[in-house]
Amino acid sequence: DTGVSQDPRHKITKRGQNVTFRCDPISEHNRLYWYRQTLGQGPEFLTYFQNEAQLEKSRLLSDRFSAERPKGSFSTLEIQRTEQGDSAMYLCASRRDRAGNTIYFGEGSWLTVV
Amino acid sequence: DQQVKQNSPSLSVQEGRISILNCDYTNSMFDYFLWYKKYPAEGPTFLISISSIKDKNEDGRFTVFLNKSAKHLSLHIVPSQPGDSAVYFCAASSTQGGSEKLVFGKGMKLTVNP
């Protein structure tokens, strides 16, 4: 059973550029989550999909952030006009319906904005 | 406000001894709790969970205790092994609130010395 896969693992970008992260959830996991983690903090919830529907968004998800899951499989998280404060690890997680509230994380995508 | 608190930033124990990691929460709507372990530059790995209908859950060397009246949970690792050295995150959710969000503490660094 392959785990949650995230790409790229590391990204360095200049302030003002756009970046996109991709997440492939565990096969047959229809629920997909994005979290963000900064140094010294725990992961913070950004958004959640059930199949292709985006059902919940955090206030942390400013209008520069957009997430999609067009076919209910992989998901992308795009950050437009990046700022230094966007530097963080972006974590994707997934789970199946009716499988409890335990979610399984990928290895994360590190973003450094310079 | 910090709804899930891990007040001790670090703990150091000897190999073979017990490690006790503590977590407090403030939101009485939380009814499902999880512990994750995280190595540097990797995503969090699920360890163990507990529902509020229980006060104890055990899985091998890991046991989680829940004290609802005190809004406190703890993770016991017995015996501790050097490979357990990592950052441990406590997380909580409300399964009745309609939100899929997990709320994490800031983490606690465990060091197990050989």
Side-chain angles (χ1 to χ4, degrees), chain A residues 9 31 33 35 37 41-43 45 48 56 91 95 101-103 105-107, chain B residues 32 34 36 38 41 43-44 46 89 93 95 99-102 104-106:
Chain A
R9 293 291 314 281
R31 300 193 184 209
Y33 307 78
Y35 282 75
Q37 185 176 17
Q41 302 294 319
F45 172 79
Y48 146 67
E56 191 174 354
L91 293 160
R95 74 170 178 94
N101 271 31
T102 300
I103 62 175
F105 285 92
E107 298 205 335
Chain B
Y32 191 76
L34 311 91
Y36 286 84
K38 187 178 185 298
F46 170 71
F89 291 95
S93 70
T95 61
S99 171
E100 288 281 319
K101 178 171 69 173
L102 290 184
F104 284 81
K106 291 187 176 184

PDB file of all heavy atoms in Angstrom, chain A residues 9 31 33 35 37 41-43 45 48 56 91 95 101-103 105-107, chain B residues 32 34 36 38 41 43-44 46 89 93 95 99-102 104-106:
ATOM      1  N   ARG A   9       9.486  17.848  -3.195  1.00  0.00           N
ATOM      2  CA  ARG A   9       9.791  17.773  -1.766  1.00  0.00           C
ATOM      3  C   ARG A   9      10.365  19.094  -1.253  1.00  0.00           C
ATOM      4  O   ARG A   9      10.179  19.454  -0.096  1.00  0.00           O
ATOM      5  CB  ARG A   9      10.792  16.656  -1.492  1.00  0.00           C
ATOM      6  CG  ARG A   9      10.259  15.252  -1.752  1.00  0.00           C
ATOM      7  CD  ARG A   9       9.176  14.844  -0.740  1.00  0.00           C
ATOM      8  NE  ARG A   9       9.527  15.148   0.637  1.00  0.00           N
ATOM      9  CZ  ARG A   9      10.342  14.432   1.400  1.00  0.00           C
ATOM     10  NH1 ARG A   9      10.901  13.345   0.918  1.00  0.00           N
ATOM     11  NH2 ARG A   9      10.593  14.791   2.644  1.00  0.00           N
ATOM     12  N   ARG A  31     -10.891  11.170   1.032  1.00  0.00           N
ATOM     13  CA  ARG A  31     -10.792  12.439   1.760  1.00  0.00           C
ATOM     14  C   ARG A  31      -9.336  12.896   1.756  1.00  0.00           C
ATOM     15  O   ARG A  31      -8.434  12.110   2.057  1.00  0.00           O
ATOM     16  CB  ARG A  31     -11.303  12.298   3.189  1.00  0.00           C
ATOM     17  CG  ARG A  31     -12.767  11.862   3.217  1.00  0.00           C
ATOM     18  CD  ARG A  31     -13.379  12.024   4.566  1.00  0.00           C
ATOM     19  NE  ARG A  31     -14.759  11.507   4.566  1.00  0.00           N
ATOM     20  CZ  ARG A  31     -15.718  11.945   5.347  1.00  0.00           C
ATOM     21  NH1 ARG A  31     -15.471  12.913   6.209  1.00  0.00           N
ATOM     22  NH2 ARG A  31     -16.929  11.413   5.292  1.00  0.00           N
ATOM     23  N   TYR A  33      -6.545  16.229   2.673  1.00  0.00           N
ATOM     24  CA  TYR A  33      -6.360  17.398   3.529  1.00  0.00           C
ATOM     25  C   TYR A  33      -5.046  18.072   3.197  1.00  0.00           C
ATOM     26  O   TYR A  33      -4.044  17.415   2.899  1.00  0.00           O
ATOM     27  CB  TYR A  33      -6.307  16.965   5.002  1.00  0.00           C
ATOM     28  CG  TYR A  33      -7.478  16.117   5.440  1.00  0.00           C
ATOM     29  CD1 TYR A  33      -7.549  14.768   5.126  1.00  0.00           C
ATOM     30  CD2 TYR A  33      -8.530  16.669   6.172  1.00  0.00           C
ATOM     31  CE1 TYR A  33      -8.618  13.986   5.510  1.00  0.00           C
ATOM     32  CE2 TYR A  33      -9.606  15.895   6.565  1.00  0.00           C
ATOM     33  CZ  TYR A  33      -9.644  14.554   6.227  1.00  0.00           C
ATOM     34  OH  TYR A  33     -10.711  13.788   6.619  1.00  0.00           O
ATOM     35  N   TYR A  35      -2.337  20.721   5.159  1.00  0.00           N
ATOM     36  CA  TYR A  35      -1.913  21.395   6.378  1.00  0.00           C
ATOM     37  C   TYR A  35      -0.623  22.152   6.097  1.00  0.00           C
ATOM     38  O   TYR A  35       0.100  21.855   5.138  1.00  0.00           O
ATOM     39  CB  TYR A  35      -1.650  20.375   7.503  1.00  0.00           C
ATOM     40  CG  TYR A  35      -2.882  19.844   8.183  1.00  0.00           C
ATOM     41  CD1 TYR A  35      -3.707  18.908   7.560  1.00  0.00           C
ATOM     42  CD2 TYR A  35      -3.233  20.267   9.462  1.00  0.00           C
ATOM     43  CE1 TYR A  35      -4.840  18.417   8.192  1.00  0.00           C
ATOM     44  CE2 TYR A  35      -4.366  19.781  10.107  1.00  0.00           C
ATOM     45  CZ  TYR A  35      -5.162  18.864   9.462  1.00  0.00           C
ATOM     46  OH  TYR A  35      -6.283  18.385  10.097  1.00  0.00           O
ATOM     47  N   GLN A  37       2.939  23.598   8.191  1.00  0.00           N
ATOM     48  CA  GLN A  37       3.694  23.574   9.444  1.00  0.00           C
ATOM     49  C   GLN A  37       4.893  24.494   9.357  1.00  0.00           C
ATOM     50  O   GLN A  37       5.698  24.373   8.430  1.00  0.00           O
ATOM     51  CB  GLN A  37       4.171  22.155   9.772  1.00  0.00           C
ATOM     52  CG  GLN A  37       4.853  22.074  11.124  1.00  0.00           C
ATOM     53  CD  GLN A  37       5.241  20.685  11.517  1.00  0.00           C
ATOM     54  OE1 GLN A  37       5.301  19.785  10.689  1.00  0.00           O
ATOM     55  NE2 GLN A  37       5.517  20.477  12.787  1.00  0.00           N
ATOM     56  N   GLN A  41       6.054  24.918  15.465  1.00  0.00           N
ATOM     57  CA  GLN A  41       4.595  24.824  15.571  1.00  0.00           C
ATOM     58  C   GLN A  41       4.120  23.449  15.120  1.00  0.00           C
ATOM     59  O   GLN A  41       4.833  22.741  14.397  1.00  0.00           O
ATOM     60  CB  GLN A  41       3.925  25.888  14.696  1.00  0.00           C
ATOM     61  CG  GLN A  41       4.329  27.311  15.018  1.00  0.00           C
ATOM     62  CD  GLN A  41       3.865  27.748  16.391  1.00  0.00           C
ATOM     63  OE1 GLN A  41       2.753  27.449  16.814  1.00  0.00           O
ATOM     64  NE2 GLN A  41       4.736  28.459  17.097  1.00  0.00           N
ATOM     65  N   GLY A  42       2.919  23.091  15.544  1.00  0.00           N
ATOM     66  CA  GLY A  42       2.307  21.900  14.999  1.00  0.00           C
ATOM     67  C   GLY A  42       1.664  22.199  13.662  1.00  0.00           C
ATOM     68  O   GLY A  42       1.500  23.358  13.282  1.00  0.00           O
ATOM     69  N   PRO A  43       1.289  21.155  12.943  1.00  0.00           N
ATOM     70  CA  PRO A  43       0.590  21.375  11.668  1.00  0.00           C
ATOM     71  C   PRO A  43      -0.703  22.166  11.876  1.00  0.00           C
ATOM     72  O   PRO A  43      -1.402  21.964  12.865  1.00  0.00           O
ATOM     73  CB  PRO A  43       0.291  19.942  11.189  1.00  0.00           C
ATOM     74  CG  PRO A  43       1.329  19.102  11.852  1.00  0.00           C
ATOM     75  CD  PRO A  43       1.555  19.732  13.187  1.00  0.00           C
ATOM     76  N   PHE A  45      -4.338  23.296   9.983  1.00  0.00           N
ATOM     77  CA  PHE A  45      -5.273  22.913   8.931  1.00  0.00           C
ATOM     78  C   PHE A  45      -5.449  24.047   7.923  1.00  0.00           C
ATOM     79  O   PHE A  45      -5.617  25.208   8.290  1.00  0.00           O
ATOM     80  CB  PHE A  45      -6.616  22.568   9.573  1.00  0.00           C
ATOM     81  CG  PHE A  45      -7.734  22.325   8.602  1.00  0.00           C
ATOM     82  CD1 PHE A  45      -7.851  21.109   7.943  1.00  0.00           C
ATOM     83  CD2 PHE A  45      -8.673  23.312   8.349  1.00  0.00           C
ATOM     84  CE1 PHE A  45      -8.892  20.877   7.063  1.00  0.00           C
ATOM     85  CE2 PHE A  45      -9.712  23.085   7.467  1.00  0.00           C
ATOM     86  CZ  PHE A  45      -9.817  21.867   6.825  1.00  0.00           C
ATOM     87  N   TYR A  48      -9.831  20.951   3.102  1.00  0.00           N
ATOM     88  CA  TYR A  48     -10.214  19.543   3.069  1.00  0.00           C
ATOM     89  C   TYR A  48     -11.127  19.289   1.881  1.00  0.00           C
ATOM     90  O   TYR A  48     -11.996  20.115   1.563  1.00  0.00           O
ATOM     91  CB  TYR A  48     -10.893  19.211   4.396  1.00  0.00           C
ATOM     92  CG  TYR A  48     -12.004  18.191   4.349  1.00  0.00           C
ATOM     93  CD1 TYR A  48     -11.746  16.860   4.030  1.00  0.00           C
ATOM     94  CD2 TYR A  48     -13.317  18.557   4.653  1.00  0.00           C
ATOM     95  CE1 TYR A  48     -12.763  15.930   4.006  1.00  0.00           C
ATOM     96  CE2 TYR A  48     -14.331  17.627   4.633  1.00  0.00           C
ATOM     97  CZ  TYR A  48     -14.062  16.320   4.309  1.00  0.00           C
ATOM     98  OH  TYR A  48     -15.070  15.404   4.291  1.00  0.00           O
ATOM     99  N   GLU A  56     -14.208  22.377   3.241  1.00  0.00           N
ATOM    100  CA  GLU A  56     -13.840  23.177   4.404  1.00  0.00           C
ATOM    101  C   GLU A  56     -12.551  23.921   4.102  1.00  0.00           C
ATOM    102  O   GLU A  56     -11.619  23.363   3.525  1.00  0.00           O
ATOM    103  CB  GLU A  56     -13.652  22.270   5.628  1.00  0.00           C
ATOM    104  CG  GLU A  56     -13.526  22.997   6.945  1.00  0.00           C
ATOM    105  CD  GLU A  56     -13.477  22.050   8.139  1.00  0.00           C
ATOM    106  OE1 GLU A  56     -13.652  20.830   7.954  1.00  0.00           O
ATOM    107  OE2 GLU A  56     -13.258  22.543   9.267  1.00  0.00           O
ATOM    108  N   LEU A  91       1.881  20.076   4.081  1.00  0.00           N
ATOM    109  CA  LEU A  91       1.622  18.651   4.301  1.00  0.00           C
ATOM    110  C   LEU A  91       0.280  18.269   3.705  1.00  0.00           C
ATOM    111  O   LEU A  91      -0.716  18.968   3.881  1.00  0.00           O
ATOM    112  CB  LEU A  91       1.600  18.345   5.796  1.00  0.00           C
ATOM    113  CG  LEU A  91       2.922  18.488   6.541  1.00  0.00           C
ATOM    114  CD1 LEU A  91       2.683  18.650   8.030  1.00  0.00           C
ATOM    115  CD2 LEU A  91       3.795  17.269   6.272  1.00  0.00           C
ATOM    116  N   ARG A  95      -7.556  10.030   4.040  1.00  0.00           N
ATOM    117  CA  ARG A  95      -8.184   8.910   4.740  1.00  0.00           C
ATOM    118  C   ARG A  95      -9.393   8.455   3.945  1.00  0.00           C
ATOM    119  O   ARG A  95      -9.869   9.149   3.044  1.00  0.00           O
ATOM    120  CB  ARG A  95      -8.598   9.284   6.167  1.00  0.00           C
ATOM    121  CG  ARG A  95      -9.824  10.183   6.284  1.00  0.00           C
ATOM    122  CD  ARG A  95     -10.242  10.260   7.758  1.00  0.00           C
ATOM    123  NE  ARG A  95     -11.380  11.143   7.987  1.00  0.00           N
ATOM    124  CZ  ARG A  95     -12.646  10.721   8.025  1.00  0.00           C
ATOM    125  NH1 ARG A  95     -12.942   9.458   7.816  1.00  0.00           N
ATOM    126  NH2 ARG A  95     -13.620  11.596   8.279  1.00  0.00           N
ATOM    127  N   ASN A 101     -11.269   9.031  12.356  1.00  0.00           N
ATOM    128  CA  ASN A 101     -10.746  10.355  12.067  1.00  0.00           C
ATOM    129  C   ASN A 101      -9.243  10.384  11.901  1.00  0.00           C
ATOM    130  O   ASN A 101      -8.638  11.444  11.877  1.00  0.00           O
ATOM    131  CB  ASN A 101     -11.158  11.325  13.178  1.00  0.00           C
ATOM    132  CG  ASN A 101     -12.494  11.964  12.880  1.00  0.00           C
ATOM    133  OD1 ASN A 101     -13.332  11.347  12.235  1.00  0.00           O
ATOM    134  ND2 ASN A 101     -12.695  13.175  13.342  1.00  0.00           N
ATOM    135  N   THR A 102      -8.616   9.232  11.791  1.00  0.00           N
ATOM    136  CA  THR A 102      -7.164   9.203  11.643  1.00  0.00           C
ATOM    137  C   THR A 102      -6.786   9.516  10.213  1.00  0.00           C
ATOM    138  O   THR A 102      -7.285   8.886   9.276  1.00  0.00           O
ATOM    139  CB  THR A 102      -6.624   7.819  12.025  1.00  0.00           C
ATOM    140  OG1 THR A 102      -6.970   7.538  13.385  1.00  0.00           O
ATOM    141  CG2 THR A 102      -5.109   7.785  11.874  1.00  0.00           C
ATOM    142  N   ILE A 103      -5.911  10.500  10.037  1.00  0.00           N
ATOM    143  CA  ILE A 103      -5.437  10.839   8.709  1.00  0.00           C
ATOM    144  C   ILE A 103      -3.961  10.483   8.600  1.00  0.00           C
ATOM    145  O   ILE A 103      -3.230  10.465   9.595  1.00  0.00           O
ATOM    146  CB  ILE A 103      -5.678  12.325   8.376  1.00  0.00           C
ATOM    147  CG1 ILE A 103      -4.917  13.247   9.332  1.00  0.00           C
ATOM    148  CG2 ILE A 103      -7.169  12.629   8.413  1.00  0.00           C
ATOM    149  CD1 ILE A 103      -5.028  14.712   8.959  1.00  0.00           C
ATOM    150  N   PHE A 105      -0.341  11.237   6.750  1.00  0.00           N
ATOM    151  CA  PHE A 105       0.374  12.323   6.094  1.00  0.00           C
ATOM    152  C   PHE A 105       1.408  11.825   5.091  1.00  0.00           C
ATOM    153  O   PHE A 105       1.992  10.747   5.250  1.00  0.00           O
ATOM    154  CB  PHE A 105       1.113  13.177   7.137  1.00  0.00           C
ATOM    155  CG  PHE A 105       0.215  14.078   7.931  1.00  0.00           C
ATOM    156  CD1 PHE A 105      -0.314  13.652   9.133  1.00  0.00           C
ATOM    157  CD2 PHE A 105      -0.085  15.359   7.473  1.00  0.00           C
ATOM    158  CE1 PHE A 105      -1.141  14.485   9.879  1.00  0.00           C
ATOM    159  CE2 PHE A 105      -0.906  16.195   8.218  1.00  0.00           C
ATOM    160  CZ  PHE A 105      -1.432  15.758   9.419  1.00  0.00           C
ATOM    161  N   GLY A 106       1.647  12.665   4.091  1.00  0.00           N
ATOM    162  CA  GLY A 106       2.784  12.480   3.221  1.00  0.00           C
ATOM    163  C   GLY A 106       4.029  13.075   3.853  1.00  0.00           C
ATOM    164  O   GLY A 106       4.005  13.543   4.999  1.00  0.00           O
ATOM    165  N   GLU A 107       5.113  13.064   3.102  1.00  0.00           N
ATOM    166  CA  GLU A 107       6.389  13.529   3.645  1.00  0.00           C
ATOM    167  C   GLU A 107       6.547  15.039   3.583  1.00  0.00           C
ATOM    168  O   GLU A 107       7.508  15.586   4.102  1.00  0.00           O
ATOM    169  CB  GLU A 107       7.546  12.836   2.941  1.00  0.00           C
ATOM    170  CG  GLU A 107       7.517  11.326   3.138  1.00  0.00           C
ATOM    171  CD  GLU A 107       8.872  10.687   3.005  1.00  0.00           C
ATOM    172  OE1 GLU A 107       9.730  11.265   2.318  1.00  0.00           O
ATOM    173  OE2 GLU A 107       9.075   9.595   3.586  1.00  0.00           O
TER     174      GLU A 107
ATOM    175  N   TYR B  32     -12.019  13.102  19.972  1.00  0.00           N
ATOM    176  CA  TYR B  32     -11.129  12.116  19.340  1.00  0.00           C
ATOM    177  C   TYR B  32      -9.737  12.698  19.368  1.00  0.00           C
ATOM    178  O   TYR B  32      -9.528  13.857  18.989  1.00  0.00           O
ATOM    179  CB  TYR B  32     -11.587  11.850  17.909  1.00  0.00           C
ATOM    180  CG  TYR B  32     -10.913  10.677  17.242  1.00  0.00           C
ATOM    181  CD1 TYR B  32     -11.284   9.369  17.567  1.00  0.00           C
ATOM    182  CD2 TYR B  32      -9.924  10.859  16.283  1.00  0.00           C
ATOM    183  CE1 TYR B  32     -10.684   8.286  16.962  1.00  0.00           C
ATOM    184  CE2 TYR B  32      -9.322   9.780  15.671  1.00  0.00           C
ATOM    185  CZ  TYR B  32      -9.702   8.503  16.014  1.00  0.00           C
ATOM    186  OH  TYR B  32      -9.105   7.425  15.409  1.00  0.00           O
ATOM    187  N   LEU B  34      -5.343  12.026  18.977  1.00  0.00           N
ATOM    188  CA  LEU B  34      -4.337  11.255  18.257  1.00  0.00           C
ATOM    189  C   LEU B  34      -2.941  11.705  18.679  1.00  0.00           C
ATOM    190  O   LEU B  34      -2.740  12.855  19.088  1.00  0.00           O
ATOM    191  CB  LEU B  34      -4.466  11.455  16.738  1.00  0.00           C
ATOM    192  CG  LEU B  34      -5.834  11.305  16.095  1.00  0.00           C
ATOM    193  CD1 LEU B  34      -6.584  12.633  16.032  1.00  0.00           C
ATOM    194  CD2 LEU B  34      -5.697  10.719  14.697  1.00  0.00           C
ATOM    195  N   TYR B  36       0.987  11.732  16.969  1.00  0.00           N
ATOM    196  CA  TYR B  36       1.814  11.542  15.797  1.00  0.00           C
ATOM    197  C   TYR B  36       3.273  11.723  16.201  1.00  0.00           C
ATOM    198  O   TYR B  36       3.591  12.499  17.102  1.00  0.00           O
ATOM    199  CB  TYR B  36       1.474  12.568  14.707  1.00  0.00           C
ATOM    200  CG  TYR B  36       0.173  12.330  13.984  1.00  0.00           C
ATOM    201  CD1 TYR B  36      -1.034  12.779  14.502  1.00  0.00           C
ATOM    202  CD2 TYR B  36       0.145  11.666  12.757  1.00  0.00           C
ATOM    203  CE1 TYR B  36      -2.224  12.572  13.835  1.00  0.00           C
ATOM    204  CE2 TYR B  36      -1.039  11.452  12.073  1.00  0.00           C
ATOM    205  CZ  TYR B  36      -2.224  11.907  12.616  1.00  0.00           C
ATOM    206  OH  TYR B  36      -3.406  11.700  11.944  1.00  0.00           O
ATOM    207  N   LYS B  38       7.133  12.630  14.568  1.00  0.00           N
ATOM    208  CA  LYS B  38       7.713  13.275  13.386  1.00  0.00           C
ATOM    209  C   LYS B  38       9.223  13.330  13.489  1.00  0.00           C
ATOM    210  O   LYS B  38       9.774  13.835  14.468  1.00  0.00           O
ATOM    211  CB  LYS B  38       7.139  14.690  13.231  1.00  0.00           C
ATOM    212  CG  LYS B  38       7.549  15.373  11.927  1.00  0.00           C
ATOM    213  CD  LYS B  38       6.928  16.742  11.806  1.00  0.00           C
ATOM    214  CE  LYS B  38       7.242  17.369  10.452  1.00  0.00           C
ATOM    215  NZ  LYS B  38       8.685  17.579  10.258  1.00  0.00           N
ATOM    216  N   ALA B  41      12.372  16.775   8.683  1.00  0.00           N
ATOM    217  CA  ALA B  41      12.189  16.794   7.226  1.00  0.00           C
ATOM    218  C   ALA B  41      11.270  15.682   6.717  1.00  0.00           C
ATOM    219  O   ALA B  41      11.302  15.342   5.530  1.00  0.00           O
ATOM    220  CB  ALA B  41      13.532  16.720   6.507  1.00  0.00           C
ATOM    221  N   GLY B  43       7.069  13.919   7.079  1.00  0.00           N
ATOM    222  CA  GLY B  43       5.724  14.188   7.546  1.00  0.00           C
ATOM    223  C   GLY B  43       5.431  13.426   8.830  1.00  0.00           C
ATOM    224  O   GLY B  43       6.122  12.474   9.174  1.00  0.00           O
ATOM    225  N   PRO B  44       4.406  13.859   9.564  1.00  0.00           N
ATOM    226  CA  PRO B  44       4.032  13.157  10.801  1.00  0.00           C
ATOM    227  C   PRO B  44       3.554  11.736  10.502  1.00  0.00           C
ATOM    228  O   PRO B  44       2.855  11.500   9.516  1.00  0.00           O
ATOM    229  CB  PRO B  44       2.879  14.009  11.348  1.00  0.00           C
ATOM    230  CG  PRO B  44       3.002  15.334  10.674  1.00  0.00           C
ATOM    231  CD  PRO B  44       3.578  15.048   9.336  1.00  0.00           C
ATOM    232  N   PHE B  46       1.370   8.565  12.062  1.00  0.00           N
ATOM    233  CA  PHE B  46       0.364   8.238  13.061  1.00  0.00           C
ATOM    234  C   PHE B  46       0.860   7.152  14.012  1.00  0.00           C
ATOM    235  O   PHE B  46       1.451   6.160  13.583  1.00  0.00           O
ATOM    236  CB  PHE B  46      -0.919   7.765  12.377  1.00  0.00           C
ATOM    237  CG  PHE B  46      -1.933   7.171  13.308  1.00  0.00           C
ATOM    238  CD1 PHE B  46      -2.617   7.985  14.190  1.00  0.00           C
ATOM    239  CD2 PHE B  46      -2.181   5.809  13.327  1.00  0.00           C
ATOM    240  CE1 PHE B  46      -3.548   7.451  15.064  1.00  0.00           C
ATOM    241  CE2 PHE B  46      -3.106   5.258  14.193  1.00  0.00           C
ATOM    242  CZ  PHE B  46      -3.789   6.082  15.068  1.00  0.00           C
ATOM    243  N   PHE B  89       3.563  14.919  18.456  1.00  0.00           N
ATOM    244  CA  PHE B  89       2.461  15.873  18.418  1.00  0.00           C
ATOM    245  C   PHE B  89       1.181  15.217  18.916  1.00  0.00           C
ATOM    246  O   PHE B  89       0.838  14.103  18.502  1.00  0.00           O
ATOM    247  CB  PHE B  89       2.225  16.382  17.002  1.00  0.00           C
ATOM    248  CG  PHE B  89       3.322  17.256  16.466  1.00  0.00           C
ATOM    249  CD1 PHE B  89       4.331  16.721  15.688  1.00  0.00           C
ATOM    250  CD2 PHE B  89       3.343  18.615  16.759  1.00  0.00           C
ATOM    251  CE1 PHE B  89       5.353  17.524  15.206  1.00  0.00           C
ATOM    252  CE2 PHE B  89       4.358  19.422  16.276  1.00  0.00           C
ATOM    253  CZ  PHE B  89       5.367  18.868  15.501  1.00  0.00           C
ATOM    254  N   SER B  93      -9.779  16.385  17.697  1.00  0.00           N
ATOM    255  CA  SER B  93     -10.825  16.774  16.764  1.00  0.00           C
ATOM    256  C   SER B  93     -12.186  16.587  17.416  1.00  0.00           C
ATOM    257  O   SER B  93     -12.325  15.875  18.415  1.00  0.00           O
ATOM    258  CB  SER B  93     -10.756  15.967  15.474  1.00  0.00           C
ATOM    259  OG  SER B  93     -11.124  14.616  15.705  1.00  0.00           O
ATOM    260  N   THR B  95     -15.680  15.098  16.380  1.00  0.00           N
ATOM    261  CA  THR B  95     -16.352  14.324  15.337  1.00  0.00           C
ATOM    262  C   THR B  95     -17.810  14.747  15.173  1.00  0.00           C
ATOM    263  O   THR B  95     -18.438  14.417  14.181  1.00  0.00           O
ATOM    264  CB  THR B  95     -16.310  12.820  15.656  1.00  0.00           C
ATOM    265  OG1 THR B  95     -16.984  12.585  16.899  1.00  0.00           O
ATOM    266  CG2 THR B  95     -14.876  12.339  15.761  1.00  0.00           C
ATOM    267  N   SER B  99     -16.703  19.533  11.451  1.00  0.00           N
ATOM    268  CA  SER B  99     -15.409  19.943  10.902  1.00  0.00           C
ATOM    269  C   SER B  99     -14.485  18.739  10.837  1.00  0.00           C
ATOM    270  O   SER B  99     -14.488  17.886  11.720  1.00  0.00           O
ATOM    271  CB  SER B  99     -14.777  21.021  11.775  1.00  0.00           C
ATOM    272  OG  SER B  99     -13.440  21.269  11.364  1.00  0.00           O
ATOM    273  N   GLU B 100     -13.678  18.692   9.798  1.00  0.00           N
ATOM    274  CA  GLU B 100     -12.694  17.629   9.648  1.00  0.00           C
ATOM    275  C   GLU B 100     -11.338  18.029  10.210  1.00  0.00           C
ATOM    276  O   GLU B 100     -10.380  17.286  10.104  1.00  0.00           O
ATOM    277  CB  GLU B 100     -12.536  17.293   8.163  1.00  0.00           C
ATOM    278  CG  GLU B 100     -13.692  16.553   7.555  1.00  0.00           C
ATOM    279  CD  GLU B 100     -13.646  15.072   7.904  1.00  0.00           C
ATOM    280  OE1 GLU B 100     -12.544  14.480   7.883  1.00  0.00           O
ATOM    281  OE2 GLU B 100     -14.706  14.497   8.201  1.00  0.00           O
ATOM    282  N   LYS B 101     -11.276  19.215  10.800  1.00  0.00           N
ATOM    283  CA  LYS B 101      -9.989  19.757  11.205  1.00  0.00           C
ATOM    284  C   LYS B 101      -9.411  19.032  12.411  1.00  0.00           C
ATOM    285  O   LYS B 101     -10.104  18.789  13.402  1.00  0.00           O
ATOM    286  CB  LYS B 101     -10.177  21.238  11.544  1.00  0.00           C
ATOM    287  CG  LYS B 101      -8.937  21.935  12.017  1.00  0.00           C
ATOM    288  CD  LYS B 101      -9.150  23.447  12.122  1.00  0.00           C
ATOM    289  CE  LYS B 101     -10.073  23.825  13.227  1.00  0.00           C
ATOM    290  NZ  LYS B 101     -10.130  25.292  13.397  1.00  0.00           N
ATOM    291  N   LEU B 102      -8.130  18.687  12.337  1.00  0.00           N
ATOM    292  CA  LEU B 102      -7.375  18.253  13.504  1.00  0.00           C
ATOM    293  C   LEU B 102      -6.641  19.477  14.036  1.00  0.00           C
ATOM    294  O   LEU B 102      -6.033  20.221  13.274  1.00  0.00           O
ATOM    295  CB  LEU B 102      -6.342  17.187  13.150  1.00  0.00           C
ATOM    296  CG  LEU B 102      -6.818  15.792  12.764  1.00  0.00           C
ATOM    297  CD1 LEU B 102      -5.617  14.874  12.550  1.00  0.00           C
ATOM    298  CD2 LEU B 102      -7.749  15.210  13.795  1.00  0.00           C
ATOM    299  N   PHE B 104      -3.587  20.625  16.368  1.00  0.00           N
ATOM    300  CA  PHE B 104      -2.347  20.066  16.889  1.00  0.00           C
ATOM    301  C   PHE B 104      -1.750  20.940  17.982  1.00  0.00           C
ATOM    302  O   PHE B 104      -1.890  22.170  17.967  1.00  0.00           O
ATOM    303  CB  PHE B 104      -1.311  19.945  15.766  1.00  0.00           C
ATOM    304  CG  PHE B 104      -1.553  18.803  14.828  1.00  0.00           C
ATOM    305  CD1 PHE B 104      -2.475  18.909  13.808  1.00  0.00           C
ATOM    306  CD2 PHE B 104      -0.841  17.619  14.964  1.00  0.00           C
ATOM    307  CE1 PHE B 104      -2.701  17.856  12.937  1.00  0.00           C
ATOM    308  CE2 PHE B 104      -1.047  16.567  14.089  1.00  0.00           C
ATOM    309  CZ  PHE B 104      -1.981  16.687  13.075  1.00  0.00           C
ATOM    310  N   GLY B 105      -1.040  20.288  18.905  1.00  0.00           N
ATOM    311  CA  GLY B 105      -0.179  21.011  19.822  1.00  0.00           C
ATOM    312  C   GLY B 105       1.117  21.389  19.117  1.00  0.00           C
ATOM    313  O   GLY B 105       1.343  21.050  17.957  1.00  0.00           O
ATOM    314  N   LYS B 106       2.004  22.070  19.865  1.00  0.00           N
ATOM    315  CA  LYS B 106       3.247  22.533  19.258  1.00  0.00           C
ATOM    316  C   LYS B 106       4.320  21.461  19.194  1.00  0.00           C
ATOM    317  O   LYS B 106       5.365  21.654  18.579  1.00  0.00           O
ATOM    318  CB  LYS B 106       3.790  23.739  20.027  1.00  0.00           C
ATOM    319  CG  LYS B 106       2.952  24.980  19.872  1.00  0.00           C
ATOM    320  CD  LYS B 106       3.642  26.185  20.508  1.00  0.00           C
ATOM    321  CE  LYS B 106       2.828  27.442  20.251  1.00  0.00           C
ATOM    322  NZ  LYS B 106       3.504  28.655  20.762  1.00  0.00           N
TER     323      LYS B 106
END
